[in-house]
Structure formats: structure tokens, C-alpha cells
Amino acid sequence: MREEILKLIEEQKLNDLRKYLESINSADFPSLFEELEEDKILIIYRILPKEKAADIFAELEPDVQEKLINCLTDKELKSVIDELFFDDEVDLIEEMPSNVVKRILKNVKPEDRKVINELLAYPEDTAGTIMTTEFIDLKENMTVEDAFKKIRKIGLDKETVYTCYVLTIDRKIIGVVDVKDLLVAEPTALVKDIMNPNVITISTLDDQEEVAKMFDKYNFLAMPVVDKEQRLVGIVTIDDAIDVLQEEIQEDFEKMAAVIPNDESYFKTSVFKHARNRIVWLILLMLTSIITGGILNNYESAFVSLPILVSFVPLLMDTGGNCGSQTSTLVIRGFSQDEIRLKDFFKVWWKEIRVALLVGTCLAIVNTLRIFIQYGFDQSKLALVVGLTLILVVVLAKSLGCILPMLAKRLKLDPAIMASPLITTVVDTCSVLVYFQLAVLIFGL
Amino acid sequence: MREEILKLIEEQKLNDLRKYLESINSADFPSLFEELEEDKILIIYRILPKEKAADIFAELEPDVQEKLINCLTDKELKSVIDELFFDDEVDLIEEMPSNVVKRILKNVKPEDRKVINELLAYPEDTAGTIMTTEFIDLKENMTVEDAFKKIRKIGLDKETVYTCYVLTIDRKIIGVVDVKDLLVAEPTALVKDIMNPNVITISTLDDQEEVAKMFDKYNFLAMPVVDKEQRLVGIVTIDDAIDVLQEEIQEDFEKMAAVIPNDESYFKTSVFKHARNRIVWLILLMLTSIITGGILNNYESAFVSLPILVSFVPLLMDTGGNCGSQTSTLVIRGFSQDEIRLKDFFKVWWKEIRVALLVGTCLAIVNTLRIFIQYGFDQSKLALVVGLTLILVVVLAKSLGCILPMLAKRLKLDPAIMASPLITTVVDTCSVLVYFQLAVLIFGL
């Protein structure tokens, strides 16, 4: 793609270039732009039809947007902004440095500036920040024919046009109607007879993750956002909901790996910022594992007189950590998919304990066999200590893997912070304690 | 909701019940059914309008579907199946036990049975298994008016109706047109003048995850699936793509926590199956950590003469594991979001090494301070050994966290298997080795 475009630019075949560009889907431009130099991007951008240019602009990474804005004349910038949807404009303003924001706001129509300022005022991660204020609203006494006239007049984008909302005079929402239902209805039928009066709405302050989950559940293409008085103020479309879903999942992955979540992509994040996002949890966890070290210290005399004990510490620590992270991952995911709820606490715990007993016994048997093979039958006491510890550690790890995320949820914290790294550290402490205590008892050290 | 329905059933107010049921969204029925007994479900199900009943049926969990089928008469079953989309029918047949499948196939229209058998033949996890064969196809010489006539006649569901495909006589796809574009066009305009001839298609054998990602990228509501001869055989709709996306992410979470992925929900999976899904990796990882134990064994004389060395083993192991899982998670996620590619290997590695040096130095400083506070300045040699090991371990952990997933990708394995549990175990071995080797050198043990 890149070579073909460069060739056409070089040969000044702008008409062919326009045709070629038309055949490329808007979503393929961002990656294309990353491989091109600024002056080439500008040539391409100026050739594109206005609407497509705006589509592409909305999909670009913030740093490419900034570069592009700095190259555009005020008139060009104005035409880009005029074509953007409100939600994309707001995203843009939030990402740009203040001097660019000034230039953008200067080129926004005065009547739009009010809407943008309102959208900017919603708290982070709420439905208000991802909604757009462009949608099709109908009146209940319109005929189907009138409705189509209005749809044709307003136009808009796919997701924003296929679901229409029926409003009262004071803009309260009383029904929803799909274009599909309008299509199969008689032209003279009234909107109020076709609309579905059972509208599922979201509030401007709803959490964006909850909103995204509702899309997954109800298979909507768009959902209406209402204010406290049930007046329609905007809609969230499915493409934005999918983006939120992806973002939130990425956040969960990062939290669960003890990384502070970061909006920017891996390569766009500087080395220093990467280090900053990772060091906090590492220091915290390192300090916690000092406790485990302290416990080991306490049993100095035990392992000095029986040094082989030490060689099982890694096995116990690793197994405990792995068992804990298995359970915590399943519980955390269960929460985020609404499969597990707080009231299921004992049900989950009881299940985990039974799984732990099964798994722990299996591991103990394998380990006993291995000790007999490696050290002979003389070491049956050692096999007993390690085997018992294994079973206890697995039960403990799986219990904590279920209790800690549940506790976080109960305290209205994000359960994802209770993922493997933290649980591993806690389980480590306990397993070392149990192990040496059992060893002291059984060997009589 | 439940109480109200039970009351209406008890009072035999079936008309009120019908009205009340109409106000509930289809997507809310599955959770409602889980709280009700079979006979109540059957009453509700029989009252519902046919189309809504089929909608709800498709969303039910397999075990509820099975129960319901066993209660329905053949005639009722036939009417449910007639209303289902092909992709939902195929899902149903794949989930049900053979005696139920027999009953279903008996009640399928003979002409449909052929299509179902074809859909069943596609390999698992391909586009063929998630597509439906119901879509709107137009001819290029149709007028917009004709197109609307056809759309009205065929009807279908929202996602399947809003994108129409333009086919030649031998069913090759030559264009795509959105209902939105038809709406704003003149009724006498020809489809070929409105359609977009640059169709992005998927093949029946494409991986379903790749297909789902394309929806995320291009913001389509539906995508056409073609066979080897570019003939349109079906479409994948956005609701199914979102489901695939969710499934694949859940699989990644499970793989990364050393759990063998499982299609069923947490509670539906038996204790025995839970144990089976977890034990494989646990045994494998446990056996691997024997190597770490063996290395500790080798340095017996070192820690017997200087027992305090042992108390830093947990700290080093935990930190190594956490650093490795931070990096591997970011790399694995980068892969699945197409942000990181194989060709970026050295770029990523170099970035991780710099991050590791920064993070490692920080941790070493914190730890040195802590040793001085806890043990006084006499232990400067110990601080040196632990500090140096920390830096080396962090660099090593972050290198492996980047190399191992890259290697898996290169070998066409799923990078997710190289997540924290495996990397932790590998890093453990190395960190213990480095630690005691340094200790022997610096303390001259």
C-alpha cells in the first residue's frame, strides 16, 4: 500500500491517487500514516473527501493528530472539526496540549462550543464522557413516512441512525424504534404504534464499564443516555462500547500483573514511565516478602541441622503462588462477567476447598514418589513433612485466592488488585511458616 | 421481577402476565429462568410470542435449553427451531446430548438440514462456525426501491438487515451497501451506483479471533464470509463477534494463570473438572522448581556457614517472578492487540533492559537501606550481594518475560502459555544460582 501511494505522489498522479485512496478502508489509514512522513500525510489528507478525512482523523493516535493539526491551515482545521462527531471532538480536546486546544476551540462553531464544554464536564469513566449528542429523535404522533424524512434530513452515521428515540415535548424519552421496524411498517402508521415503550436507559454518571457490559448483554447498537429528569441527552454507540470493553480488559490485565494501568500503547510509553508504572507494586511486594525472610531466619537452627529442608522452599513457594493465582484469576474474572457475586462467597470457598484437597493430594503423591526415587525410602519423614505442607499450602492458597478478591469487592475496591502477585507474597509467608513448623514437630528439631 | 411473575401465575392472570412479560427485555430472561422451577418456565415460555421465545431460547444456558426441550411437545419444538437463526441452531446441536439432537433434527425442515450439516462441518474456532447463512443479497441493477422491497420481504434481524451484499448471478460478492446509504438515495437510483465495491471479506476458515478483531478495527455491524471462489456463503454479525472476543479474552486470562481453558462457567464446572484443569500445569511447574531446589542443595555449605543468606531467597524469588510477569503480560497483550509484532523483538528487548536497569537499581537501593537499618553497616557485603543479585535478576526476568512469549509466537504457539507461572519458575532457578554464586565469590565461602 505504502509503495503504491509513494509512487503515485512522486509521479504527481493525483487523480489516480484519489481513486486509490478511495479503495482503502478508513480503518487502515492510521497504520499507513505511521509509516509515512508528515508532508506525504498532508498530501493524502488534503486529497481525501471531507467526511472520510474526518473519519480517519478520529481514529489517529493523538501524536499523529497533533502533528497533522499543526500542518493544517485554520480553514482546513475548521472543516475537519465540523465533520467530527461531538464525542470525537471531546476526545481530541482532552488529548491535545493547551496551545492546540486553543486553536481547535477557536475553529469550533459557537453553538457547538457549549455542547463540548458540557461533555468535558462529565467525570472520567462515566457514560457522559463516551456519549455523543447526535442522534435521531422522533415524536410519537409522527407517521413512518415523517420519520424517514427526518432520518434522511439528519443523516449521521450508521450506529447513530439505526436506533431512533421517541421524545415528548420536554425531551423525556418514551420509546425506542429500530429503523428495521420502520422499514417493515406501513408508511401511514404512527410511530407510537411501532415503538417499544420499554426503553432501557443509562444515566450520564453510570460507569462506562457497566455500560459496555449492557451492550454485550442486550445486543444493542446504541443506548440512550438520560439525565436525572429522564431527559435524553445523548447516546452511546456500540463501537465506543467495544473500545471501552477493550480498554477495561487491558487495565485488568495490567493490574493483575502488578503494573499501574496506562492509557498509552507500549511503544508510546517512555522507559521512565514504564519503570514508574512498575516500581510501586514491586517495592511494596518486596517489602512484604521481607516477612517471609524473617520467618526463615527464625528457623535458622532447623535448617542448619537439616539443610535439605531448604531445597524444598522454592517448590512450596511456587506451588502456593500458582494455586493462588489460578483461583484469584477465576474469581476476579467471574466478578467482571457477573458470574460470581458477593453472596456466592461460601459457595465459591467450599468449591475451592474441595478442588484444593484434590489438587493438593495429587501434588503430594507425585512429590512423595519423587522423594523416594531421588533419596530412597529413608526419607519418609521428609516426604511426610513436604506432602502435608503441600496439601495445607494449596488449601490456604486457594482460600486466599477466593477470600482476598471477595474482600476487595466488599470494600468496593477493584478485585483485580488482589491478583497473583499479592496473593503469591502472602501465601509465601504462610507456607514457609507451616513448612518449618511441621518440620520442627515431625523431626523433633 | 420473579415475585411479580409467580403472583400472576398463581392468580391465573395470564393476560396480565403476557403484558408484563412483554415489558421485559429478552436478555433478562435467562437469569430470570435460573431462579424459577421448570413448570413455571414452561408456562412463561408458552405465553411468549413465537419470535421473542426463539430469541430467549438462543440466549439460554445449554442445561436450561435441554430441560426446556424435554418439556416441549414436538410441535412446540418445531416452532422454536423454525424461528432460530442457523448459527443458533448449530450452537444448539453442538451442545445437546445425542438423544436431544435426534429430536431436534427430526423437527428441522428438510431443506434446512442440509445447511446445518454444512455449518457443522467447519473446523472449530473458524469463521464458518460463527456465521449465519441468513442475509440480504441484492443485484447490482436493482433500484433502491427494489432493494427496500427485498429487505421488507426477507425481514430478518437488526444486525443481519442493515448491511446488504451485492452479488453477481453466480453469487460472487461485488459490493456492499448500508441501509443508511439506501435511505438517503433516490428511490430510482441503481444499487451499483451506491454500493461500495471495496468489500472486506473473511474466509470460512479464518480464525474466529482474527475475525472478531476486524470488527473492532473496522466498526462493521456485519462482515461477509466467502468461500475459495469468492462466493458469499454467510455473514458474521457484530453480536457474535463480541461474544468471540469475550471468550478469547477469558481463555487468555485462564491460560496466563496456568489453568486449562474451559468453556463452561465457574459454577457449572464440577470440582473434579476444576481440579483436572489446574493440576496439569501445577505438576509441570512443581517438577520444574525441583531444579531450583537442587541448586540450593549445591550451596548447602554456603548457607550453613552463613544462614542469613537463606532469608533473602523469598525476596529474590518473588521480585524476579513479579518483574517477569509484568513484562510477559505487557508483551502477550501487545501481541493480541497487534501493537507488538515479531519484528519488534529487539526494540522491545532493549526497552525492557533499560526499564529493568532503572527498576532494579531502585529496588537495590531500597533493599540496601533496609539492610543497613535492620542489621547495621557491618552487613555491607550482604547488601552488595543482594543488591547486585536484584539488578541482575530484574534484568533477567524482564528479558525472559520478553523473549519467551516472542519465542512462543515464533514457533506459532500461543504466547499466553509463557505467562507469569512459567516465567516465575524459570527466573527462580536463575536467581538462586546467581545469588549464591555471587555470595560465594564476595564472601569467599
Side-chain angles (χ1 to χ4, degrees):
Chain A
M1 218 190 280
R2 181 172 172 273
E3 285 66 38
E4 218 146 344
I5 290 175
L6 287 178
K7 201 169 144 235
L8 288 170
I9 292 180
E10 204 179 312
E11 293 170 0
Q12 297 272 343
K13 290 184 181 163
L14 294 191
N15 257 327
D16 291 354
L17 179 62
R18 179 175 300 123
K19 253 191 213 148
Y20 183 69
L21 292 177
E22 260 170 33
S23 75
I24 303 174
N25 190 293
S26 304
D28 286 320
F29 277 90
S31 58
L32 174 69
F33 279 7
E34 296 221 337
E35 297 172 2
L36 290 173
E37 285 149 49
E38 253 165 78
D39 56 327
K40 304 288 184 305
I41 296 179
L42 202 61
I43 293 176
I44 295 173
Y45 201 78
R46 283 182 170 147
I47 278 184
L48 288 168
K50 262 197 331 194
E51 204 182 321
K52 189 164 185 173
D55 255 19
I56 295 167
F57 187 85
E59 295 284 330
L60 293 176
E61 290 285 330
D63 56 331
V64 187
Q65 287 178 331
E66 193 183 333
K67 264 191 234 156
L68 200 53
I69 290 180
N70 288 333
C71 298
L72 294 176
T73 65
D74 265 13
K75 206 180 144 207
E76 283 171 327
L77 179 61
K78 192 166 171 6
S79 90
V80 171
I81 294 171
D82 281 354
E83 290 288 333
L84 284 182
F85 287 106
F86 278 127
D87 56 340
D88 294 328
E89 274 181 67
V90 170
D91 283 350
L92 181 66
I93 288 171
E94 281 177 332
E95 296 284 356
M96 293 297 112
S98 62
N99 59 326
V100 179
V101 169
K102 241 187 214 160
R103 254 195 88 201
I104 296 173
L105 287 178
K106 206 180 75 190
N107 287 294
V108 166
K109 284 181 241 156
E111 64 268 32
D112 290 1
R113 211 171 300 160
K114 199 174 146 262
V115 180
I116 290 171
N117 281 328
E118 274 170 24
L119 288 176
L120 279 169
Y122 289 110
E124 217 184 328
D125 293 341
T126 59
T129 61
I130 52 167
M131 74 182 185
T132 175
T133 50
E134 283 125 331
F135 49 81
I136 310 266
D137 57 319
L138 306 174
K139 296 274 171 286
E140 56 174 341
N141 286 322
M142 277 183 170
T143 63
V144 169
E145 212 179 339
D146 295 337
F148 276 124
K149 264 187 207 150
K150 178 136 196 195
I151 293 173
R152 281 194 193 99
K153 208 179 114 200
I154 304 190
L156 302 184
D157 205 12
K158 285 174 293 189
E159 294 89 0
T160 36
V161 87
Y162 289 147
T163 317
C164 307
Y165 302 94
V166 187
L167 306 185
T168 60
I169 302 171
D170 53 350
R171 304 197 64 74
K172 281 189 185 147
I173 188 163
I174 48 170
V176 56
V177 60
D178 280 320
V179 165
K180 184 209 155 209
D181 299 322
L182 290 174
L183 276 176
V184 294
E186 290 297 318
T188 52
L190 289 180
V191 165
K192 69 173 164 193
D193 297 325
I194 311 167
M195 72 180 194
N196 177 357
N198 304 296
V199 192
I200 296 179
T201 60
I202 45 192
S203 134
T204 47
L205 297 179
D206 280 352
D207 185 79
Q208 59 172 4
E209 191 176 0
E210 295 306 316
V211 173
K213 275 190 209 160
M214 287 176 87
F215 273 88
D216 189 23
K217 180 172 175 190
Y218 292 109
N219 291 342
F220 290 133
L221 298 181
M223 283 188 80
V225 185
V226 296
D227 64 11
K228 279 180 211 141
E229 281 84 33
Q230 284 290 308
R231 280 182 310 225
L232 185 64
V233 289
I235 61 170
V236 174
T237 54
I238 191 164
D239 53 327
D240 294 317
I242 295 180
D243 288 345
V244 168
L245 220 52
Q246 297 280 58
E247 253 173 53
E248 298 282 345
I249 284 163
Q250 179 67 9
E251 259 191 51
D252 273 1
F253 270 111
E254 291 177 6
K255 273 187 204 154
M256 288 169 74
V259 177
I260 294 173
N262 183 11
D263 275 350
E264 279 165 64
S265 75
Y266 179 84
F267 289 116
K268 295 267 157 69
T269 309
S270 68
V271 169
F272 184 75
K273 204 167 175 195
H274 266 300
R276 210 191 54 192
N277 290 338
R278 303 186 201 177
I279 193 78
V280 184
W281 271 106
L282 287 177
I283 290 183
L284 210 79
L285 294 168
M286 186 177 83
L287 294 178
T288 318
S289 61
I290 292 175
I291 302 172
T292 317
I295 292 172
L296 272 173
N297 249 352
N298 271 346
Y299 290 98
E300 200 180 299
S301 61
F303 68 74
V304 167
S305 62
L306 198 64
I308 202 176
L309 283 178
V310 174
S311 71
F312 290 92
V313 170
L315 183 151
L316 293 170
M317 280 176 59
D318 281 344
T319 305
N322 292 333
C323 286
S325 79
Q326 286 181 333
T327 301
S328 65
T329 300
L330 291 178
V331 172
I332 292 168
R333 287 301 297 162
F335 271 135
S336 80
Q337 299 193 302
D338 292 326
E339 226 174 79
I340 295 179
R341 285 152 214 269
L342 269 182
K343 66 175 163 62
D344 299 322
F345 175 66
F346 286 105
K347 221 166 123 192
V348 175
W349 196 12
W350 173 226
K351 192 154 201 161
E352 285 304 314
I353 286 179
R354 284 176 294 163
V355 174
L357 287 173
L358 242 123
V359 167
T361 311
C362 264
L363 292 176
I365 292 171
V366 171
N367 194 61
T368 305
L369 288 175
R370 173 235 149 177
I371 290 180
F372 286 161
I373 292 170
Q374 199 175 350
Y375 303 103
F377 290 105
D378 315 345
Q379 292 288 12
S380 54
K381 266 192 187 172
L382 183 66
L384 185 66
V385 172
V386 178
L388 273 181
T389 311
L390 263 175
I391 296 177
L392 286 174
V393 163
V394 174
V395 171
L396 186 84
K398 295 219 169 281
S399 295
L400 285 174
C402 141
I403 293 169
L404 291 182
M406 290 273 187
L407 188 71
K409 184 87 180 173
R410 183 76 189 71
L411 299 174
K412 302 210 185 301
L413 298 169
D414 186 341
I417 56 166
M418 294 297 188
S420 25
L422 190 65
I423 285 178
T424 302
T425 319
V426 178
V427 172
D428 281 354
T429 313
C430 304
S431 53
V432 167
L433 192 65
V434 170
Y435 176 53
F436 279 102
Q437 202 52 48
L438 274 176
V440 167
L441 270 172
I442 291 180
F443 282 102
L445 293 169
Chain B
M1 217 189 282
R2 183 174 171 272
E3 285 66 39
E4 217 146 344
I5 290 174
L6 287 179
K7 202 172 143 236
L8 288 170
I9 292 180
E10 205 179 309
E11 293 170 359
Q12 297 271 346
K13 290 186 180 162
L14 294 190
N15 258 326
D16 290 355
L17 179 62
R18 179 174 300 123
K19 251 189 215 151
Y20 183 70
L21 292 177
E22 261 171 33
S23 76
I24 303 174
N25 190 292
S26 304
D28 287 319
F29 277 91
S31 58
L32 173 70
F33 279 8
E34 298 220 338
E35 296 171 4
L36 290 173
E37 285 148 47
E38 252 166 76
D39 56 327
K40 305 286 185 302
I41 296 179
L42 202 60
I43 293 176
I44 295 173
Y45 202 77
R46 283 181 171 147
I47 279 184
L48 287 167
K50 262 196 332 192
E51 206 182 320
K52 190 163 184 175
D55 255 18
I56 295 167
F57 186 86
E59 295 284 330
L60 292 176
E61 290 286 329
D63 55 333
V64 187
Q65 287 178 330
E66 194 183 333
K67 265 191 235 157
L68 200 52
I69 291 180
N70 289 332
C71 300
L72 294 177
T73 64
D74 264 15
K75 207 182 143 206
E76 283 171 330
L77 180 61
K78 191 167 174 358
S79 91
V80 172
I81 294 171
D82 282 353
E83 289 288 334
L84 284 181
F85 286 108
F86 278 127
D87 55 342
D88 293 328
E89 276 183 64
V90 170
D91 283 348
L92 181 65
I93 289 172
E94 281 177 333
E95 296 285 354
M96 291 298 113
S98 63
N99 60 325
V100 179
V101 170
K102 242 187 213 160
R103 253 194 89 201
I104 295 173
L105 287 178
K106 207 180 75 189
N107 287 295
V108 165
K109 285 181 241 158
E111 64 268 31
D112 289 1
R113 210 171 301 161
K114 200 173 145 259
V115 180
I116 290 172
N117 282 328
E118 274 170 24
L119 288 176
L120 279 170
Y122 289 110
E124 218 186 327
D125 293 340
T126 59
T129 61
I130 52 167
M131 72 182 185
T132 176
T133 50
E134 283 125 330
F135 50 81
I136 310 267
D137 57 318
L138 305 174
K139 296 272 171 291
E140 56 176 341
N141 286 322
M142 276 181 171
T143 62
V144 169
E145 211 179 340
D146 294 338
F148 275 122
K149 264 188 208 150
K150 178 139 194 192
I151 294 172
R152 281 195 194 99
K153 208 178 115 201
I154 305 191
L156 303 182
D157 205 11
K158 285 176 293 191
E159 293 89 2
T160 35
V161 87
Y162 289 148
T163 316
C164 307
Y165 302 94
V166 187
L167 305 186
T168 61
I169 303 172
D170 53 351
R171 303 197 64 74
K172 281 190 182 144
I173 188 163
I174 49 170
V176 57
V177 60
D178 280 319
V179 165
K180 185 210 154 207
D181 300 322
L182 291 173
L183 275 175
V184 293
E186 288 299 316
T188 52
L190 290 179
V191 165
K192 70 173 165 195
D193 297 325
I194 309 167
M195 72 181 193
N196 177 358
N198 305 297
V199 192
I200 297 179
T201 59
I202 44 191
S203 134
T204 48
L205 297 179
D206 280 351
D207 186 76
Q208 60 173 7
E209 190 176 0
E210 295 306 315
V211 173
K213 275 192 208 158
M214 287 175 87
F215 273 87
D216 189 23
K217 180 172 176 189
Y218 292 110
N219 292 342
F220 291 133
L221 298 181
M223 283 189 81
V225 184
V226 297
D227 63 12
K228 279 181 209 136
E229 282 85 34
Q230 283 289 309
R231 282 182 309 225
L232 185 64
V233 290
I235 61 170
V236 174
T237 54
I238 191 164
D239 52 326
D240 294 317
I242 295 178
D243 287 345
V244 168
L245 219 53
Q246 296 282 60
E247 254 173 53
E248 298 282 344
I249 285 163
Q250 179 67 7
E251 258 190 52
D252 274 0
F253 269 110
E254 292 178 3
K255 274 188 204 152
M256 287 169 74
V259 176
I260 295 174
N262 184 11
D263 276 348
E264 279 164 64
S265 75
Y266 179 84
F267 288 116
K268 294 267 157 68
T269 309
S270 68
V271 169
F272 184 75
K273 205 167 174 192
H274 267 300
R276 210 191 55 192
N277 290 339
R278 303 188 202 175
I279 192 77
V280 183
W281 272 107
L282 288 178
I283 289 184
L284 210 81
L285 295 168
M286 186 178 83
L287 295 178
T288 319
S289 61
I290 292 176
I291 302 171
T292 317
I295 292 171
L296 272 174
N297 248 353
N298 271 344
Y299 290 99
E300 199 181 297
S301 60
F303 68 74
V304 167
S305 62
L306 197 63
I308 202 176
L309 283 178
V310 174
S311 71
F312 289 92
V313 170
L315 183 151
L316 293 169
M317 279 176 62
D318 282 343
T319 305
N322 293 333
C323 287
S325 79
Q326 286 181 334
T327 301
S328 65
T329 300
L330 291 178
V331 172
I332 292 168
R333 287 299 298 162
F335 272 135
S336 80
Q337 300 192 304
D338 292 327
E339 223 175 84
I340 295 180
R341 284 154 216 270
L342 268 182
K343 67 174 165 57
D344 299 321
F345 174 67
F346 286 105
K347 222 166 121 193
V348 176
W349 195 11
W350 174 225
K351 192 154 200 159
E352 285 304 314
I353 286 178
R354 284 175 294 163
V355 174
L357 286 173
L358 240 115
V359 167
T361 312
C362 265
L363 291 177
I365 292 170
V366 171
N367 194 59
T368 305
L369 288 175
R370 173 236 149 174
I371 290 180
F372 286 161
I373 292 169
Q374 198 175 349
Y375 303 102
F377 290 106
D378 316 346
Q379 291 290 11
S380 54
K381 264 191 187 174
L382 183 66
L384 185 66
V385 171
V386 178
L388 273 181
T389 312
L390 262 176
I391 296 177
L392 286 174
V393 163
V394 175
V395 171
L396 186 85
K398 295 220 168 277
S399 295
L400 285 175
C402 141
I403 293 170
L404 290 183
M406 290 273 189
L407 188 72
K409 183 87 179 173
R410 182 77 190 72
L411 299 174
K412 302 208 184 303
L413 298 170
D414 186 342
I417 56 164
M418 294 299 189
S420 26
L422 190 66
I423 285 177
T424 302
T425 318
V426 177
V427 172
D428 282 353
T429 313
C430 305
S431 52
V432 168
L433 191 67
V434 170
Y435 175 52
F436 279 101
Q437 201 54 47
L438 275 175
V440 168
L441 271 173
I442 291 178
F443 281 101
L445 294 170

